[in-house]
Amino acid sequence: MPLTLDEINTAPLADAPRLLDGIYEHSPWVAEEALTQRPFATLAQLKWALVQAVQEAGVEAQLALIRAHPELAGKAMMSRTLTAESTQEQNRAGLTDCTPDEFARIQQLNADYNARFGFPFILAVRGPRGTGLAKQQIIETFARRLANHPDFERAEALRNIHRIAEIRLNEKFGQEPRLGNEVWDWHERLARHSDQGHAEKGQLTVTYLTEAHRACAEQLSQWMRESGFDEVQIDAVGNVVGRYRPAQAAGADGASAAAREAANRQEGDAANDATGAPPAQYLLTGSHYDTVRNGGKYDGRLGIFVPMACVRELHRAGRRLPFGIEVVAFAEEEGQRYKATFLGSGALVGAFDPAWLDQEDAEGITMRKAMEDAGLCIAEIPRLKRDPADYLGYVEVHIEQGPVLNEMGLPLAVVTSINASSRYRCSITGMASHAGTTPMKRRRDAAAAAAELLVYMEQRATQDGDSVATMGMLQVPDGSVNVVPGRCEFSLDLRAPSDTQRDALVADVLQKLNEICQRRGLQYVAERSMQASCAPSDATLQAHWEAAVAKLGLPVHRMPSGAGHDAMKIHQILPQAMLFVRGENNGISHNPLESTTADDMQLAVQAFSDVLQQLAQEHP
Amino acid sequence: MPLTLDEINTAPLADAPRLLDGIYEHSPWVAEEALTQRPFATLAQLKWALVQAVQEAGVEAQLALIRAHPELAGKAMMSRTLTAESTQEQNRAGLTDCTPDEFARIQQLNADYNARFGFPFILAVRGPRGTGLAKQQIIETFARRLANHPDFERAEALRNIHRIAEIRLNEKFGQEPRLGNEVWDWHERLARHSDQGHAEKGQLTVTYLTEAHRACAEQLSQWMRESGFDEVQIDAVGNVVGRYRPAQAAGADGASAAAREAANRQEGDAANDATGAPPAQYLLTGSHYDTVRNGGKYDGRLGIFVPMACVRELHRAGRRLPFGIEVVAFAEEEGQRYKATFLGSGALVGAFDPAWLDQEDAEGITMRKAMEDAGLCIAEIPRLKRDPADYLGYVEVHIEQGPVLNEMGLPLAVVTSINASSRYRCSITGMASHAGTTPMKRRRDAAAAAAELLVYMEQRATQDGDSVATMGMLQVPDGSVNVVPGRCEFSLDLRAPSDTQRDALVADVLQKLNEICQRRGLQYVAERSMQASCAPSDATLQAHWEAAVAKLGLPVHRMPSGAGHDAMKIHQILPQAMLFVRGENNGISHNPLESTTADDMQLAVQAFSDVLQQLAQEHP
């Protein structure tokens, strides 16, 4: 019989911890501490209480918790003295079935790791539905983490412990994250398509209108149809658009799906107009399905699959809402194949610039040619522009792509604003000279000037608290060990939650650059390559996300989005608000290590469903 | 009738400035001020007094002096209102004979330059013996200098004014730098040989044992013979060795030159031993004739040609000294074709490592093969090691390869020590992450850490006064504008006049690197790629250089050598001391812009001759 929250909430305080035996390896104090927070409305709330108990226990207790764990495929496994839970987990990961070479490699890693950190290596080896890490991945992760900084690695060990506890709790409570697992599966299956055949390592490259990209669009169309969307089409820029009609429209319309699609494409919501009633509005949502080169599986796609799962649930339950749901899988956001970015969401706000059609990719193929080859009807692009009157607004779910939630141990956050940003390409020119013979005071060192700027930028952005400043590209072209750099090239990426805060940051950084170069006798060029205004969340939509997160039993964490998203484009015509989902591995993104969990995706689906319910009550 | 120093020294103070009319364009105050320093023992001393007068006059007076000059091929030239001196100079440079395109280009440059700096462009367009800059070179220099920092360009304008004054003074005094011109000619003629056919632009590439390198060796051998060296040979590593015998040995030996050479090669100074007297010692001197890729004409070679000129003068005068003079044109110092450096001077101290023979160049040719193809007898290399008892010591003349003398307006300096140096290849590994979503306090930015180190290094070296620290290579591999750098690679080059000072600098920099990485949670690697001990000058030899410089009427400026030189190798077996000669163009080296003047070379030849005289008195 699975455990219930009711049992947890009502057991005498002295007995309750025993109900959670084995969740935190040999460390009953974690449950004892968390249970002082009873009652728990949701399993997510209990999990959060457990995380907090560990967070507040201090470093010594945390180290004791880590050290209470067995080594991976270590002596305890060999001597069969593992806990039942650990035995089962190491078994399932195939660790009890290592080749002698694998075993020797793991023993060496165990020894090195222990010598470096003073605690055993801990990795949540089980994923959802048997998708746990394979032995080889475990060994790779082990080797990678061995290089981490000790403080960081301690936090990483704790995060893995919490993930192990989450999986054990799900089992104890018989609460598999069914919707989260299905969303996980969609990500896995879509990740089979990649431009460069690295999909098996999770290294995805899906750029605009390549073969893999078009296969993704076909796959998404198919899944949308299977999920019960009434109308599904690939539009003139390659967006996959699925519409789930509102209650009255679906009921009033008996025409075939194909006829409805054709009518819709040509007449907007004319099908509704024909009934005489004012046409019901739609909630617009979605995200992009293209990736950066060698990117991850979740960036963008999570924002397609979460609403798809919600629509599938509505469809399975035979339910419709007073408004329609339009999920758009945007064809392009990352700007990888062509310089233009946000092609997909840009087209919906009328921002598709026909001049882009003549841009060439690395192989000289124009965007026009690529679109024609894909069978897209370029002439139709202007008609993709949406009329704001047809929509309630826009919401988007996205992985955080940052470390904040991962570090806090929280699965969800509500976005307050998409940050304003400016980018610059800069170069400083000084005088290359002999590193041995040029006295320090007579140098015109371009790299030293860039270094001074970088140190300043870091302090200046930190001072704001929520601004960020990055010198992501930095190089001394053709530098030699014994030559004082005569030239240094670098980029600036400056972001802040508001335009004025961003502008002040940019002004200070550029003034500092000027001051440094004046003082050092250097020339510089700083060319702005990009500027984007901030996109503050709509108060009402943001409040819906907040209410949904609170209903899950989780604290509402509000944060700005440092990354740009399709919501930033749609912001030009519609109110918008976003939900962030925690990324694993310190929130790494644009990287094959990008990851999240089925549990967190489950919570995202639940939150999205709740927002739909709130909107249904608001727009009856 | 040429002017004489006697006239200058004895004229009434009111009349004397008129004797120097036209030397500094429309600016008699320069001569007036300089003449308060009378009497002048040498023309060099008068020139130095004029330079000092301008240096001490302050910025306003300097700007007035610069503005007193006409534009290059400007209105004054067109309207024939130039001074006689300027007319002649612009005439000789072919500026009165521009094509319409050239003229238009120069007018545009004049306008741009004036708008930027507020004074006319000034360039000493006449070199020695009709080797003035061609119109095209003038235009290129003009465009290059337009990019300079205003403070630097003001100093550059003044340096050109002093150079123009020097040329005008030489003419007025009828003192062409004959020996300097001959040394200049040798450099020009040797620069015709280059591996890559860029010699016509002064871009020299002459690496170990290439065709151009071997042609240089043949040419040097020929010139040594023509200059009167008694024995000339190309040794087993490709050094060109010329020996000018001491008085008694040359007198006692009636054998043919070829026989003497053969005897010498096999028996050392057996020819002398045959007389029964203790063999006279030799003064060892020289420098290298190889170059870096796309290097200049003077690096190394000046140290071959200056003593060659001295020997030629002795030979022309039929004079011999109580000691012999051995000039070695070292085959290799720069380490360009193979990783090994100082092959030439290294062989003389027994430091040729036979393992080097298996090193391959970029085309896979081993050093052994290259040496065999050049007809060198590898088995003879160990016998190249010199016996210190045979030598008085080692002296070397070299261009400064730095900006110090250029900025001071001084032609010569005496080297106190060749600096100790250490080089490191470093990398810092952090965590690549999203530039928008990673808060400043959660970053592990490898570039920011390197920047912090560079800023520290600069301060730390400056604090020593005469240490130097350089991050010549610096790059974020595969950096992107929107990614926090997860890795940064860079080099360190740390030098100081003493080993202990260098060691303290290295220790502080590495400790700072460690501290920064600890604090920021980063990993780093720092691998030492090179370490060389300092080579302090021999007090006696250094004193000879100082006396020689003083006798030229110049202040004695002592300075360490930041660059390594053949003297550093020879230091292992012999006392040594070096003389530095000012480089033009801010002392730039390892660059086609590397340059010096015939006047400065003349002074170097005079100083070297004086050292020979001093040694002759010391070793009668």
Side-chain angles (χ1 to χ4, degrees):
Chain A
M1 279 290 289
L3 188 62
T4 66
L5 276 175
D6 199 45
E7 289 173 79
I8 293 282
N9 287 331
T10 56
L13 189 55
D15 301 338
R18 228 167 299 143
L19 297 173
L20 298 176
D21 256 6
I23 299 299
Y24 284 82
E25 194 95 356
H26 300 305
S27 304
W29 63 267
V30 182
E32 285 162 16
E33 185 58 35
L35 286 167
T36 64
Q37 305 296 313
R38 293 189 301 175
F40 303 111
T42 63
L43 184 53
Q45 192 176 11
L46 169 58
K47 290 174 182 173
W48 171 241
L50 291 161
V51 168
Q52 277 185 301
V54 173
Q55 272 177 356
E56 286 162 12
V59 171
E60 285 313 309
Q62 291 169 353
L63 284 171
L65 170 61
I66 298 172
R67 293 190 181 119
H69 284 71
E71 282 192 334
L72 206 71
K75 291 196 196 85
M77 184 185 88
M78 303 309 286
S79 60
R80 298 172 194 276
T81 57
L82 290 175
T83 60
E85 290 82 358
S86 285
T87 302
Q88 194 186 24
E89 287 153 5
Q90 300 209 6
N91 237 325
R92 287 201 204 158
L95 289 172
T96 44
D97 194 28
C98 282
T99 67
D101 276 358
E102 287 167 344
F103 190 72
R105 173 87 171 114
I106 291 174
Q107 295 323 307
Q108 185 59 50
L109 285 167
N110 273 326
D112 293 348
Y113 187 97
N114 235 308
R116 176 158 161 73
F117 299 114
F119 50 78
F121 175 70
I122 299 170
L123 179 64
V125 291
R126 281 179 54 202
R129 312 223 281 181
T131 59
L133 296 171
K135 270 181 297 185
Q136 196 45 47
Q137 285 173 296
I138 292 169
I139 290 171
E140 279 170 17
T141 306
F142 206 158
R144 179 167 51 78
R145 280 177 41 188
L146 194 51
N148 278 341
H149 187 269
D151 291 346
F152 179 81
E153 185 54 22
R154 191 178 69 240
E156 190 70 5
L158 291 174
R159 285 192 283 269
N160 276 275
I161 286 170
H162 291 309
R163 178 67 187 141
I164 291 167
E166 175 161 69
I167 295 166
R168 291 176 179 177
L169 277 169
N170 290 346
E171 204 141 296
K172 206 178 260 286
F173 280 79
Q175 288 202 19
E176 269 296 291
R178 181 181 61 83
L179 296 172
N181 283 341
E182 289 177 10
V183 170
W184 171 283
D185 288 347
W186 273 330
H187 284 97
E188 288 298 310
R189 288 162 66 193
L190 198 64
R192 290 175 197 161
H193 303 290
S194 175
D195 292 346
Q196 297 177 359
H198 291 147
E200 69 282 359
K201 282 194 179 171
Q203 286 186 20
L204 275 194
T205 303
V206 179
T207 63
Y208 190 48
L209 296 183
T210 58
E211 204 171 322
H213 185 270
R214 289 157 63 185
C216 284
E218 284 307 322
Q219 179 64 82
L220 287 166
S221 303
Q222 184 193 331
W223 287 337
M224 282 189 184
R225 282 193 203 91
E226 291 170 3
S227 297
F229 284 83
D230 302 295
E231 307 152 16
V232 178
Q233 59 161 319
I234 296 175
D235 75 12
V237 294
N239 297 327
V240 185
V241 183
R243 284 165 68 92
Y244 188 68
R245 294 206 172 160
Q248 67 274 35
D253 188 347
S256 74
R260 283 202 304 271
E261 272 183 46
N264 188 51
R265 212 177 306 133
Q266 288 169 23
E267 309 288 338
D269 268 289
N272 289 342
D273 294 344
T275 66
Q281 287 184 304
Y282 274 68
L283 175 69
L284 190 65
T285 187
S287 195
H288 60 99
Y289 66 91
D290 70 320
T291 73
V292 297
R293 291 180 204 287
N294 295 323
K297 300 173 188 172
Y298 305 93
D299 179 1
R301 297 164 176 207
L302 183 67
I304 303 166
F305 293 135
V306 165
M308 266 174 65
C310 292
V311 167
R312 180 160 65 177
E313 289 306 292
L314 289 171
H315 178 70
R316 281 175 181 168
R319 286 190 57 205
R320 292 197 180 263
L321 302 175
F323 53 88
I325 302 171
E326 180 172 323
V327 179
V328 185
F330 294 112
E332 204 287 331
E333 189 250 27
E334 301 283 7
Q336 298 284 311
R337 183 169 177 188
Y338 298 99
K339 277 182 205 151
T341 54
F342 295 101
L343 287 185
S345 47
L348 269 62
V349 302
F352 186 92
D353 182 348
W356 293 341
L357 294 166
D358 297 317
Q359 287 188 346
E360 290 182 1
D361 71 3
E363 283 158 14
I365 300 167
T366 62
M367 188 188 292
R368 183 190 314 279
K369 175 80 164 58
M371 292 176 89
E372 285 166 357
D373 289 351
L376 302 182
C377 180
I378 293 169
E380 290 287 318
I381 295 175
R383 307 194 60 185
L384 299 182
K385 185 174 177 184
R386 299 300 197 265
D387 180 349
D390 296 340
Y391 294 91
L392 292 178
Y394 177 81
V395 291
E396 181 173 349
V397 177
H398 207 283
I399 52 166
E400 180 202 334
Q401 300 186 283
V404 176
L405 291 172
N406 195 244
E407 237 183 78
M408 294 179 76
L410 255 189
L412 301 176
V414 178
V415 175
T416 54
S417 174
I418 300 172
N419 282 354
S421 65
S422 287
R423 292 181 184 170
Y424 287 80
R425 294 297 289 268
C426 305
S427 62
I428 296 178
T429 305
M431 177 78 77
S433 60
H434 195 296
T437 60
T438 316
M440 296 310 289
K441 290 194 174 161
R442 290 193 173 83
R443 296 180 171 214
R444 294 172 189 273
D445 185 332
E452 197 185 334
L453 183 69
L454 176 45
V455 168
Y456 168 79
M457 258 170 58
E458 211 183 15
Q459 290 162 349
R460 174 64 183 76
T462 304
Q463 171 191 316
D464 278 351
D466 50 6
S467 293
V468 287
T470 308
M471 196 177 277
M473 296 195 277
L474 171 63
Q475 70 158 340
V476 172
D478 301 320
S480 296
V481 61
N482 61 344
V483 176
V484 177
R487 190 173 167 84
C488 189
E489 297 170 353
F490 56 95
S491 62
L492 302 178
D493 184 313
L494 306 166
R495 312 194 196 195
S498 75
D499 291 1
T500 47
Q501 186 176 325
R502 185 265 327 264
D503 291 345
L505 175 65
V506 168
D508 282 357
V509 168
L510 293 183
Q511 189 187 323
K512 189 72 178 181
L513 172 59
N514 184 62
E515 185 259 299
I516 291 168
C517 290
Q518 284 285 336
R519 171 163 37 83
R520 291 174 175 266
L522 306 167
Q523 308 291 312
Y524 73 92
V525 175
E527 282 174 357
R528 194 168 74 196
S529 59
M530 196 272 264
Q531 169 126 307
S533 295
C534 70
S537 299
D538 173 69
T540 308
L541 290 173
Q542 184 184 326
H544 287 317
W545 282 124
E546 290 173 4
V549 169
K551 212 174 294 173
L552 290 168
L554 294 170
V556 175
H557 180 70
R558 299 172 187 85
M559 63 183 289
S561 167
H565 294 292
D566 290 301
M568 202 167 69
K569 272 283 163 199
I570 303 296
H571 182 83
Q572 294 174 19
I573 60 163
L574 285 177
Q576 58 79 25
M578 293 184 69
L579 179 74
F580 271 172
V581 179
R582 163 172 61 184
E584 300 289 288
N585 300 321
N586 207 33
I588 194 167
S589 184
H590 288 187
N591 187 299
L593 292 173
E594 177 182 285
S595 187
T596 181
T597 65
D599 287 278
D600 289 357
M601 295 194 232
Q602 170 85 19
L603 295 171
V605 175
Q606 288 175 333
F608 200 102
S609 296
D610 194 80
V611 166
L612 292 178
Q613 298 312 319
Q614 292 178 55
L615 287 172
Q617 281 162 14
E618 200 179 274
H619 303 270
Chain B
M1 277 292 287
L3 189 61
T4 65
L5 276 176
D6 198 45
E7 288 173 78
I8 293 281
N9 286 333
T10 56
L13 189 56
D15 301 336
R18 226 167 303 146
L19 296 173
L20 298 176
D21 256 5
I23 299 299
Y24 283 82
E25 194 96 355
H26 299 305
S27 305
W29 63 267
V30 181
E32 284 163 18
E33 184 59 35
L35 287 167
T36 64
Q37 306 296 315
R38 294 187 303 174
F40 302 112
T42 63
L43 184 53
Q45 192 177 10
L46 169 58
K47 290 174 182 173
W48 171 241
L50 290 162
V51 168
Q52 276 184 302
V54 173
Q55 272 176 355
E56 287 163 12
V59 171
E60 285 314 309
Q62 290 169 353
L63 284 171
L65 170 61
I66 298 172
R67 293 189 182 121
H69 284 72
E71 282 192 332
L72 207 71
K75 290 195 197 88
M77 185 186 87
M78 303 308 286
S79 60
R80 298 171 194 275
T81 57
L82 291 175
T83 60
E85 290 83 357
S86 285
T87 301
Q88 193 187 24
E89 286 153 7
Q90 300 209 7
N91 235 326
R92 286 200 205 159
L95 290 172
T96 45
D97 194 29
C98 281
T99 67
D101 276 359
E102 286 167 346
F103 190 72
R105 173 88 172 116
I106 291 174
Q107 296 322 307
Q108 185 59 51
L109 286 166
N110 273 325
D112 294 348
Y113 187 95
N114 234 308
R116 178 159 160 73
F117 300 113
F119 51 77
F121 175 69
I122 300 171
L123 179 64
V125 290
R126 282 178 53 201
R129 311 224 280 185
T131 59
L133 297 171
K135 269 182 298 184
Q136 196 45 45
Q137 284 173 298
I138 292 170
I139 290 172
E140 279 170 15
T141 307
F142 206 157
R144 180 167 51 78
R145 281 177 42 189
L146 194 51
N148 278 342
H149 188 270
D151 291 346
F152 179 80
E153 184 55 21
R154 192 178 66 242
E156 190 70 6
L158 291 174
R159 286 193 282 270
N160 276 275
I161 287 170
H162 292 309
R163 178 66 186 141
I164 291 167
E166 175 162 70
I167 295 167
R168 291 177 178 176
L169 277 169
N170 290 345
E171 204 141 298
K172 207 179 261 283
F173 281 78
Q175 289 203 17
E176 268 297 292
R178 181 181 61 83
L179 296 171
N181 283 340
E182 289 178 9
V183 169
W184 171 282
D185 287 346
W186 271 330
H187 284 96
E188 288 299 310
R189 288 162 65 192
L190 198 64
R192 290 177 197 159
H193 304 289
S194 176
D195 291 347
Q196 297 177 359
H198 290 150
E200 69 284 358
K201 282 194 181 172
Q203 287 186 18
L204 275 194
T205 303
V206 178
T207 62
Y208 190 50
L209 296 182
T210 59
E211 205 172 319
H213 185 270
R214 289 157 62 186
C216 285
E218 284 306 323
Q219 179 65 80
L220 287 166
S221 303
Q222 184 193 329
W223 287 338
M224 283 188 184
R225 281 191 203 93
E226 291 170 3
S227 298
F229 283 83
D230 302 296
E231 307 153 15
V232 178
Q233 59 160 317
I234 296 174
D235 75 12
V237 294
N239 297 327
V240 185
V241 183
R243 285 164 68 93
Y244 188 67
R245 294 202 172 163
Q248 68 276 33
D253 189 346
S256 75
R260 282 201 304 269
E261 274 182 48
N264 189 51
R265 215 176 304 134
Q266 288 171 25
E267 307 289 338
D269 271 287
N272 289 342
D273 294 344
T275 66
Q281 286 183 304
Y282 274 68
L283 175 69
L284 190 64
T285 186
S287 195
H288 60 99
Y289 66 92
D290 69 322
T291 74
V292 297
R293 291 181 204 286
N294 295 323
K297 300 172 187 171
Y298 305 93
D299 180 1
R301 295 164 177 208
L302 183 66
I304 303 166
F305 293 135
V306 165
M308 265 174 66
C310 293
V311 167
R312 181 160 63 176
E313 289 307 292
L314 289 171
H315 177 69
R316 281 176 181 166
R319 286 189 58 205
R320 293 199 177 259
L321 301 175
F323 53 89
I325 302 171
E326 179 172 324
V327 179
V328 185
F330 294 112
E332 205 286 332
E333 188 250 28
E334 301 282 6
Q336 298 284 310
R337 183 170 178 187
Y338 298 98
K339 277 182 206 150
T341 55
F342 295 99
L343 288 185
S345 46
L348 268 62
V349 303
F352 186 94
D353 182 350
W356 293 340
L357 293 167
D358 297 318
Q359 287 188 346
E360 290 182 359
D361 70 4
E363 283 159 14
I365 300 168
T366 62
M367 188 187 292
R368 184 191 314 279
K369 175 81 165 60
M371 292 175 89
E372 285 167 357
D373 289 351
L376 302 182
C377 181
I378 293 169
E380 289 287 318
I381 295 175
R383 307 194 59 184
L384 300 181
K385 185 173 174 183
R386 299 298 196 267
D387 180 350
D390 296 338
Y391 294 91
L392 291 178
Y394 177 81
V395 290
E396 181 173 350
V397 177
H398 207 283
I399 52 166
E400 180 202 333
Q401 300 187 283
V404 176
L405 291 173
N406 195 243
E407 239 183 77
M408 294 180 76
L410 255 189
L412 302 175
V414 179
V415 175
T416 54
S417 174
I418 300 172
N419 281 354
S421 64
S422 287
R423 292 182 184 171
Y424 288 79
R425 294 296 290 267
C426 305
S427 63
I428 296 178
T429 305
M431 177 77 77
S433 62
H434 195 296
T437 60
T438 316
M440 297 309 291
K441 291 194 173 160
R442 289 191 173 84
R443 295 180 172 214
R444 293 171 191 274
D445 185 332
E452 197 185 333
L453 182 68
L454 176 45
V455 168
Y456 168 79
M457 257 171 56
E458 210 183 15
Q459 290 161 350
R460 175 63 183 75
T462 303
Q463 171 191 315
D464 279 351
D466 50 5
S467 293
V468 287
T470 308
M471 198 177 275
M473 296 194 278
L474 170 63
Q475 70 158 340
V476 172
D478 299 321
S480 296
V481 60
N482 60 345
V483 176
V484 177
R487 190 171 167 84
C488 189
E489 298 170 353
F490 56 94
S491 62
L492 302 178
D493 183 311
L494 305 165
R495 311 194 196 195
S498 75
D499 291 2
T500 47
Q501 186 176 325
R502 185 267 326 266
D503 291 345
L505 175 65
V506 168
D508 282 356
V509 169
L510 294 182
Q511 189 187 323
K512 188 73 180 181
L513 172 59
N514 184 62
E515 185 259 299
I516 290 169
C517 290
Q518 285 285 339
R519 170 164 35 83
R520 291 174 176 265
L522 306 167
Q523 308 290 313
Y524 73 92
V525 175
E527 282 174 356
R528 195 168 73 195
S529 59
M530 196 272 264
Q531 169 126 306
S533 294
C534 71
S537 298
D538 174 68
T540 308
L541 289 173
Q542 184 184 326
H544 287 318
W545 282 124
E546 291 173 4
V549 169
K551 212 174 295 172
L552 290 169
L554 294 170
V556 174
H557 181 70
R558 298 171 188 86
M559 63 182 289
S561 168
H565 295 291
D566 290 301
M568 202 167 70
K569 272 285 163 197
I570 303 296
H571 182 83
Q572 295 175 18
I573 59 163
L574 285 178
Q576 57 78 25
M578 293 184 69
L579 179 74
F580 271 174
V581 179
R582 162 172 62 184
E584 300 290 288
N585 299 321
N586 208 33
I588 195 168
S589 184
H590 288 188
N591 186 299
L593 292 173
E594 178 182 286
S595 186
T596 183
T597 64
D599 286 279
D600 289 357
M601 296 195 233
Q602 170 86 19
L603 294 172
V605 174
Q606 288 175 331
F608 200 103
S609 294
D610 194 78
V611 167
L612 292 178
Q613 298 313 318
Q614 292 178 54
L615 288 170
Q617 281 163 14
E618 199 179 276
H619 304 271

